[in-house]
Amino acid sequence: MSAIDDFLAMLAAERGAARNTLLAYGRDLHQAEGMVDGSLAQATPAQLARLGQGWSSLAPSTLARKISALRQFYGFLVDEGEREDDPTHALPRPATRRPLPKILSHAQVEALFARAEDEASGERPEAVRLLAMLELLYGSGLRATELVSLPLSAVPRDEPFLTVTGKGGQARLVPVSTRAKKALSRWLAVRPSDTKWLFPSRTSHLSRIRLYQMLKELAVRADLPPEKLSPHVLRHAFATHLLEGGADLRALQTLLGHADIATTQIYTHVDAARLVKLVNERHPLARARRSD
């Protein structure tokens, strides 16, 4: 096995890296090896500096991912005693700004659910399925992959929780609202019984692509811009609206399945308006000014 293969095997075994992460890192490292014209494991700082020049036209987020892969790779080699030095100081340091998540207003969410509930009122299986998925995306904050790959066994009979397998194969319990539980019960009553998947397709489970398509189509029928709706936007809305309602950031981290709370902190921007209002209404000086 090459040093790159050894590194990827370590990521999978010791860190539980997701398949998509392994594929992306593998592509980045093999591409870098082709650009240094030799063994990436033996590359010099000068060779890595040329990588930065070759990647100068990339988007900041893409460049940051490639540099992260290289830093972890060389850190692995140093830890394993394959190198005595870490040459990544020669790589550029892109200043990336994490984009703020797209969010839906409460009115937009209400319009979306009103349409979905109206369509499901006739108990047509496809409409009932869409309502159940919508309830879980917005009511429990599931990722698209987590939702479509749910096995039937993830739905408990009595407890208001789902057992979800998230990134890196990490399992967590996700609370299911009363609304979502009712929608799931309706779906279970009409769902095909000869499959292990909660949301089956013809041969396996529903695909992420089909889920995206269904949500875009629902947005059009609800008179909402389709580009504003996706599974991830509903997950963002779940987090945003919970924070607005006073949810604790640590609790939100657990609900979303974030390994690092820094990932969850991206949602704190949505609370800015509420905090300003709180200061204006509750601060002693604000009350004094009103008295004057």
Side-chain angles (χ1 to χ4, degrees), residues 232-276:
H232 216 57
V233 168
L234 287 168
R235 177 173 159 87
H236 288 321
F238 163 80
T240 300
H241 296 163
L242 274 181
L243 269 183
E244 288 177 349
D248 175 78
L249 201 61
R250 285 288 181 187
L252 189 60
Q253 177 190 4
T254 301
L255 292 172
L256 292 171
H258 288 159
D260 188 345
I261 198 169
T263 308
T264 317
Q265 286 172 336
I266 189 68
Y267 294 102
T268 57
H269 79 284
V270 304
D271 231 9
R274 188 175 69 86
L275 291 175
V276 170

Side-chain angles (χ1 to χ4, degrees), residues 26-292:
R27 284 193 300 268
D28 291 341
L29 294 174
H30 283 297
Q31 182 192 56
E33 187 163 61
M35 293 173 70
V36 301
D37 194 24
S39 169
L40 187 63
Q42 304 300 322
T44 65
Q47 287 175 302
L48 292 192
R50 290 199 293 272
L51 280 180
Q53 297 167 7
W55 287 340
S56 60
S57 62
L58 296 177
S61 58
T62 303
L63 180 59
R65 189 198 67 226
K66 291 180 180 294
I67 291 173
S68 174
L70 286 165
R71 291 190 188 283
Q72 293 182 61
F73 174 65
Y74 286 110
F76 165 75
L77 293 180
V78 171
D79 289 343
E80 293 294 307
E82 298 295 327
R83 282 190 73 123
E84 295 183 357
D85 67 314
D86 182 347
T88 57
H89 62 83
L91 292 169
R93 298 178 181 272
T96 60
R97 239 187 115 185
R98 189 161 192 176
L100 295 178
K102 295 179 182 178
I103 58 175
L104 295 172
S105 68
H106 291 275
Q108 289 173 320
V109 170
E110 288 171 4
L112 197 65
F113 272 92
R115 183 66 190 191
E117 289 167 353
D118 181 62
E119 293 179 356
S121 61
E123 299 302 318
R124 187 168 56 89
E126 292 81 1
V128 175
R129 179 185 62 182
L130 181 56
L131 178 61
M133 291 192 295
L134 196 62
E135 289 282 3
L136 290 176
L137 287 170
Y138 177 68
S140 299
L142 299 187
R143 299 179 177 96
T145 300
E146 293 172 345
L147 176 69
V148 297
S149 62
L150 279 174
L152 184 61
S153 58
V155 184
R157 294 183 179 179
D158 302 316
E159 297 296 324
F161 292 96
L162 286 175
T163 303
V164 175
T165 302
K167 286 187 175 180
Q170 297 297 312
R172 71 183 191 277
L173 287 177
V174 176
V176 179
S177 69
T178 302
R179 285 172 50 115
K181 197 170 182 180
K182 289 180 179 177
L184 273 176
S185 296
R186 290 174 63 185
W187 167 237
L188 291 174
V190 297
R191 155 193 176 279
S193 58
D194 57 345
T195 173
K196 69 175 184 178
W197 305 109
L198 180 58
F199 299 110
S201 65
R202 292 180 182 176
T203 57
S204 180
H205 58 69
L206 193 75
S207 71
R208 293 170 70 251
I209 298 301
R210 183 58 189 138
L211 175 61
Y212 274 77
Q213 292 171 341
M214 291 162 62
L215 289 176
K216 301 287 186 189
E217 292 163 0
L218 176 62
V220 172
R221 296 195 300 272
D223 294 325
L224 296 175
E227 67 275 7
K228 292 200 67 169
L229 187 63
S230 72
H232 216 57
V233 168
L234 287 168
R235 177 173 159 87
H236 288 321
F238 163 80
T240 300
H241 296 163
L242 274 181
L243 269 183
E244 288 177 349
D248 175 78
L249 201 61
R250 285 288 181 187
L252 189 60
Q253 177 190 4
T254 301
L255 292 172
L256 292 171
H258 288 159
D260 188 345
I261 198 169
T263 308
T264 317
Q265 286 172 336
I266 189 68
Y267 294 102
T268 57
H269 79 284
V270 304
D271 231 9
R274 188 175 69 86
L275 291 175
V276 170
K277 182 179 179 182
L278 180 67
V279 170
N280 287 337
E281 292 181 351
R282 304 295 179 84
H283 195 280
L285 289 179
R287 289 199 295 270
R289 282 194 298 271
R290 284 199 298 271
S291 299
D292 292 343

Side-chain angles (χ1 to χ4, degrees), residues 5-27:
D5 292 333
D6 288 340
F7 168 67
L8 296 175
M10 181 277 295
L11 286 182
E14 297 182 16
R15 301 186 191 175
R19 181 174 179 272
N20 286 345
T21 299
L22 295 174
L23 290 173
Y25 276 22
R27 284 193 300 268

